[in-house]
Amino acid sequence: MTYHSAPLTIAFVDSGIGGIPYMTHALRHIPDIRGVYLADNGFFPYGIREPEELSERLVSIVRKLREQSDPAMVVLACNTASVVALSELRSRFPIPFVGTVPAIKPAALHSRRRRIGVMATEQTLKDPYLDSLIADYAADAEITRVPATGLIEGIEHRFFDDMDGDLLESIGAQFDRADSDTVVLGCTHFIHLEHAMRAKWGSRFRVIDSREGITRQIFRLMNNLPADSYPRLPELPEHEAPVAGRAMMLISSAEGLDYYRRIADHFSFSFGGILDV
Ligand code: DGL
C-alpha cells in the first residue's frame, strides 16, 4: 500500500458501538485519515452467531462498504468478527484488513503473578485462535476466561444510562478468586466501561485492551513499515486532533435509529444513516 497525502478513508466495523473507541484512538493518533464506522446493529450480537453466518455477513458488509465509501483499509474493530472471519475476508478482497484480537501478548508482559483474566464473548473464548495466542505468548500463565455477554448487551442498548455495577462486581470477584493481576478486555464493547471498571475495581488488576496495537498496525500499513517495526505514534492532545469532520457513523438497521444518531453526536461523528447490507 502506498502512502497517500490526502486523508485516507478507513472503515471500522463492529456489531454495534464497541469499535468506536478504536476509531477515535486511530483518528487522534493518525492525523491524515478519516473514518467510516459501521455499527452492524441489524446483526447484533455477533457473539451468539455461528461462524459461517457471521463470516458471510461480514463479506456482504465489506462489499457494501466498498461501494459506499471505497475504504483503503478495513479494521474489524471486534474480536469475535476477527477470530471468525479475518482470513476469509483477506482471501476475498484486495485491500488490507486489520483484525482485533485479545491483547494476550501485552498482558503476558505485564502479569507478575502469571495469572491473567480474559473477558470476552463465548465465541471468542472458545475459538482456537485464543488458545494459540495463549500458547504463543502466555503458555506459563494461568488464564481465567469469563464470558460477559450480559454486559455487552447493556453497553450496546443502554449506553447513556448509569450502569448496574453488580455484574462488574461479580466479574471482578471471579478474577480475584483466580488471583489474576491483569485483565484483558477481549471484547471491544468493554472499553466503554473503562471508568466504571476503575471505580469498581480500583487498582486490583491492570486492565489491558488492544487500541494502541491496532492504531500502530494501521500506521504501519499506511507507511509500508515491516510488521515487526514499532512506529512511534504522535501524542496529540485531544484538542489538536479533533474527530469532528473526520468521522461518519452508519448503522445497518433502522431499529434504534434515533438512539444511534445520539451516539454519533456524542462522539462528534456525523451520522450517515443506514447501510443496506
Ligand atoms: N464487540 C464485539 C467483540 O469485540 C462483540 C459484541 C457482540 O457479541 O456483538 O467481540
Side-chain angles (χ1 to χ4, degrees):
M1 196 172 164
T2 49
Y3 183 77
H4 296 62
S5 52
L8 206 66
T9 299
I10 302 195
F12 292 75
V13 179
D14 179 48
S15 59
I17 65 173
I20 289 177
Y22 284 75
M23 183 159 96
T24 51
H25 189 276
L27 289 167
R28 286 198 185 122
H29 289 87
I30 310 178
D32 33 17
I33 57 171
R34 59 181 292 273
V36 173
Y37 187 90
L38 175 72
D40 188 12
N41 62 324
F43 217 61
F44 176 89
Y46 280 178
I48 57 156
R49 303 284 174 186
E50 286 303 321
E52 296 72 28
E53 68 166 343
L54 183 52
S55 239
E56 261 172 51
R57 173 74 175 185
L58 288 157
V59 167
S60 320
I61 285 176
V62 172
R63 199 172 287 131
K64 287 285 175 175
L65 277 172
R66 294 190 75 206
E67 284 164 24
Q68 208 259 6
S69 37
D70 191 23
M73 189 188 306
V74 175
V75 178
L76 293 182
C78 171
N79 295 260
T80 312
S82 303
V83 296
V84 164
L86 196 54
S87 32
E88 174 71 13
L89 293 169
R90 283 185 172 141
S91 72
R92 295 274 202 119
F93 299 99
I95 53 169
F97 286 86
V98 178
T100 308
V101 293
I104 297 293
K105 188 177 173 184
L109 290 174
H110 287 295
S111 172
R112 285 169 181 240
R113 296 202 290 271
R114 314 312 294 150
R115 284 165 186 267
I116 298 170
V118 183
M119 302 167 58
T121 63
E122 289 183 31
Q123 187 61 49
T124 300
L125 290 178
K126 69 177 186 219
D127 198 280
Y129 196 94
L130 179 62
D131 294 330
S132 73
L133 282 175
I134 292 169
D136 288 350
Y137 301 114
D140 64 330
E142 191 177 304
I143 310 290
T144 302
R145 302 177 197 224
V146 175
T149 313
L151 211 50
I152 298 168
E153 211 276 323
I155 297 163
E156 182 65 27
H157 294 128
R158 292 180 291 284
F159 177 78
F160 295 104
D161 299 353
D162 282 340
M163 74 158 291
D164 164 14
D166 290 356
L167 207 45
L168 216 45
E169 194 58 63
S170 85
I171 291 170
Q174 292 182 62
F175 292 135
D176 267 336
R177 277 196 297 277
D179 201 24
S180 311
D181 60 3
T182 305
V183 170
V184 175
L185 304 185
C187 166
T188 55
H189 277 74
F190 299 144
I191 294 169
H192 291 297
L193 295 183
E194 234 182 352
H195 298 293
M197 284 173 182
R198 204 165 297 138
K200 273 271 172 229
W201 297 346
S203 55
R204 272 141 75 198
F205 324 108
R206 181 192 276 262
V207 177
I208 294 193
D209 66 73
S210 36
R211 270 173 295 183
E212 214 176 299
I214 297 296
T215 298
R216 208 166 261 122
Q217 179 60 5
I218 296 170
F219 190 84
R220 276 189 206 103
L221 288 167
M222 285 175 65
N223 294 287
N224 286 321
L225 298 174
D228 61 354
S229 61
Y230 194 77
R232 257 178 63 89
L233 298 170
E235 290 290 334
L236 297 179
E238 234 166 275
H239 65 277
E240 281 183 23
V243 167
R246 299 170 59 209
M248 177 176 73
M249 178 171 175
L250 301 163
I251 55 178
S252 62
S253 155
E255 201 171 319
L257 188 127
D258 288 337
Y259 172 74
Y260 285 102
R261 194 196 298 277
R262 216 177 133 208
I263 299 251
D265 258 14
H266 177 84
F267 288 98
S268 306
F269 302 166
S270 65
F271 186 64
I274 298 167
L275 183 77
D276 186 18
V277 182

